[in-house]
Amino acid sequence: MTDFTQFPPSFTWGVATSAFQIEGGASADGKGPSIWDTFSHTPGKVIDGTNGDVACDHYHRYPEDVAIMAGLGVDAYRFSMAWSRVQPQGKGAWNEAGWDFYDRLLKELESKNIDAHITLYHWDLPQGLQDEGGWLNRDTAYHFAEYAAEVARRFGNRVKTIATHNEPWCTANLGYGNAQFAPGVADLKQSIQVSHHLVLSHGLAMTAMRKVGSSAQLGIVLNQWTADPATDSEADKAAAEFEYSRSVEWFMDPIFKGKYPEYALKVHGDNSPVVQDGDLEIAHQKIDFLGVNYYFRAFCSTETPPRQPECKLGKTDMGWEIYPDGLTELLLKLHAAYELPPIYITENGMANPDTIVNGEVPDAARIDFVLRHLKALNDARLQGVNIQGYFLWSLLDNFEWNSGYAKRFGIVHVDYATQKRTLKHSALWYRDYLIQQRPQTQLNAAHAA
């Protein structure tokens, strides 16, 4: 695919990572353990038997990684903070050495004129809080708000945005619903209650950060998809309606409408969450931006075995259908249903079985994937959706949760034995694409350094 889509000069171009997937330094300088440290060290939990102790060693190699970003010419870097690095137990004493690491990272980004977009929580709850019930314990939401306020107090005037959560759907459904992710619980009722505590914690954190006062835009990042029935059967259509309601509307409705979707509540029945008076008022408050992570659509079949999509554009190395049209459809559907703030596409990318060939890493499939999705989001933008930026997932190959190091999402190849970084063809393409997007005079001189 060779189509070139021109975006407005103000459009933000970035790359994204998360703390546990790249930082390493698992116990460095006073960091406490997280649930992913515990989970990844539990035999049988990670497919290839690895853990995140070293990952990409970003904790020690961040200057090199920021230099790579500068060379790509990106405007922005989205990353998460490791809560247990700055507050080892998730409550109580702060760890100044942990704060110092993020201070150094921010200074490095500032020196290259790269805007920082922080995510407070990307699934790595301090183990100390898990020992007290984790997200099933309502108190965790209040501890999270205290952590959020401290981040805003220290860094709120140095970063562009602060997102409370990344993909709370995954925390609830993969962490508590099917045990695929940490902490490894398989209990539907618990997962639904956890989802409510996450929504509550978002609202509490928003209030706490606003009280501190900062220049950062505040919001949340949700993974979302359309849900298409596999056939015209009533059963498939009902399955698709429920999938969209329990996944997308389940988090959007409390935030934007102050209530849970009635259809999902009806189907959940006795598994519906315990909601205290005032909880939904706390969740339902203005946010400055919405982050949307999009990778695939839901294809809903009630047949046995389930009918599969055609996958006309193939699948990623995760086995996910490549379906860029779903991004346009999703954005337009959200636009019609909610009064939305500005949107960032905060994650989009693909796992590809990349290998080094004669010193290079060809990944034409990833370039095609990104181009198609950029066209799809621009189609929605031209139809009135206020989309302000795009963050490619991911900058680096990294620890891909329960897949370990077997799946490569990065535009930069990482040799985990040596930590050598090699720019893939997609990274070189992204650099050239950004040059095309804006006049050379708009490129920051630091980016070319």
Side-chain angles (χ1 to χ4, degrees):
M1 183 177 180
T2 57
D3 289 0
F4 179 76
T5 302
Q6 188 71 51
F7 288 83
S10 62
F11 197 81
T12 294
W13 296 98
V15 289
T17 66
S18 86
F20 191 80
Q21 293 181 273
I22 69 166
E23 282 184 2
S27 58
D29 300 324
K31 177 186 176 293
S34 78
I35 57 174
W36 268 98
D37 290 302
T38 302
F39 190 81
S40 65
H41 278 272
T42 303
K45 297 298 186 183
V46 177
I47 291 171
D48 63 2
T50 58
N51 57 60
D53 288 3
V54 177
C56 304
D57 198 29
H58 177 75
Y59 186 74
H60 299 105
R61 298 171 185 267
Y62 69 90
E64 177 185 0
D65 294 335
V66 173
I68 289 172
M69 294 180 228
L72 295 177
V74 297
D75 306 305
Y77 175 42
R78 175 179 174 250
F79 63 97
S80 72
M81 291 179 59
W83 185 352
S84 64
R85 193 177 295 287
V86 299
Q87 192 178 33
Q89 295 301 312
K91 62 179 183 178
W94 303 111
N95 176 33
E96 292 304 325
W99 291 108
D100 287 346
F101 165 69
Y102 293 109
D103 175 65
R104 295 193 302 273
L105 174 58
L106 288 175
K107 285 178 179 174
E108 198 72 23
L109 292 167
E110 288 160 359
S111 75
K112 305 295 186 183
N113 283 352
I114 298 174
D115 289 334
H117 293 247
I118 287 181
T119 303
L120 297 176
Y121 186 78
H122 199 129
W123 311 345
D124 48 351
L125 187 74
Q127 183 62 41
L129 292 182
Q130 186 62 38
D131 294 341
E132 298 180 357
W135 286 110
L136 194 60
N137 183 345
R138 185 181 170 92
D139 289 347
T140 299
Y142 292 87
H143 295 311
F144 178 71
E146 293 170 2
Y147 158 58
E150 189 66 9
V151 173
R153 186 181 72 80
R154 293 178 183 244
F155 297 148
N157 291 321
R158 297 174 62 186
V159 304
K160 190 78 170 180
T161 69
I162 301 175
T164 53
H165 286 278
N166 177 81
E167 301 185 350
W169 182 95
C170 292
T171 299
N173 289 276
L174 304 184
Y176 284 84
N178 65 12
Q180 185 176 332
F181 284 3
V185 177
D187 186 301
L188 176 61
K189 190 174 182 65
Q190 285 193 33
S191 73
I192 295 171
Q193 187 63 49
V194 162
S195 72
H196 175 64
H197 289 162
L198 292 165
V199 168
L200 173 65
S201 74
H202 158 75
L204 291 169
M206 292 291 291
T207 299
M209 288 190 288
R210 288 226 163 91
K211 285 182 179 178
V212 170
S214 74
S215 61
Q217 299 288 292
L218 307 179
I220 190 170
V221 170
L222 304 175
N223 56 318
Q224 300 184 321
W225 46 78
T226 53
D228 296 338
T231 70
D232 288 334
S233 74
E234 293 303 316
D236 284 358
K237 287 191 283 189
E241 182 182 1
F242 177 56
E243 171 60 27
Y244 190 80
S245 185
R246 80 172 190 93
S247 299
V248 176
E249 293 177 340
W250 189 257
F251 292 96
M252 289 289 287
D253 280 15
I255 294 170
F256 289 98
K257 297 182 178 180
K259 62 180 182 178
Y260 283 111
E262 291 181 8
Y263 186 77
L265 283 173
K266 179 181 177 181
V267 177
H268 284 326
D270 292 342
N271 289 320
S272 295
V274 174
V275 179
Q276 295 188 15
D277 289 345
D279 283 2
L280 292 174
E281 286 77 9
I282 292 170
H284 177 44
Q285 56 183 287
K286 178 181 177 291
I287 61 175
D288 301 318
F289 74 94
L290 173 67
V292 173
N293 294 353
Y294 177 82
Y295 290 97
F296 51 77
R297 66 169 169 171
F299 190 77
C300 302
S301 172
T302 56
E303 297 176 19
T304 304
R307 187 178 297 223
Q308 298 299 310
E310 287 186 65
C311 297
K312 293 179 180 179
L313 297 175
K315 297 181 180 181
T316 71
D317 199 34
M318 296 295 289
W320 300 340
E321 179 192 18
I322 299 172
Y323 193 72
D325 287 351
L327 178 55
T328 310
E329 294 163 8
L330 169 68
L331 293 169
L332 292 176
K333 192 169 184 176
L334 295 176
H335 182 62
Y338 304 96
E339 292 186 14
L340 296 173
I343 289 175
Y344 291 99
I345 304 303
T346 33
E347 286 183 28
N348 176 244
M350 72 176 294
N352 200 51
D354 304 316
T355 56
I356 296 179
V357 181
N358 298 322
E360 299 185 357
V361 186
D363 59 342
R366 181 175 287 110
I367 297 171
D368 183 73
F369 179 100
V370 175
L371 271 170
R372 289 180 185 276
H373 284 81
L374 288 175
K375 182 180 184 302
L377 76 88
N378 195 52
D379 287 346
R381 190 184 68 80
L382 293 175
Q383 294 180 66
V385 184
N386 184 4
I387 306 167
Q388 294 292 315
Y390 176 86
F391 291 80
L392 207 165
W393 183 273
S394 175
L395 175 68
L396 303 171
D397 288 337
N398 54 44
F399 180 80
E400 188 51 41
W401 308 112
N402 68 323
S403 296
Y405 298 99
K407 304 297 182 183
R408 294 181 177 270
F409 274 88
I411 58 173
V412 176
H413 181 277
V414 178
D415 182 326
Y416 297 112
T418 65
Q419 291 297 334
K420 181 180 178 181
R421 275 75 160 138
T422 303
L423 271 63
K424 301 179 186 179
H425 285 187
S426 58
L428 302 174
W429 165 81
Y430 197 42
R431 177 198 64 193
D432 293 345
Y433 186 87
L434 298 191
I435 290 173
Q436 288 180 283
Q437 280 297 325
R438 54 210 174 195
Q440 190 65 30
T441 54
Q442 290 185 4
L443 289 173
N444 191 285
H447 289 167

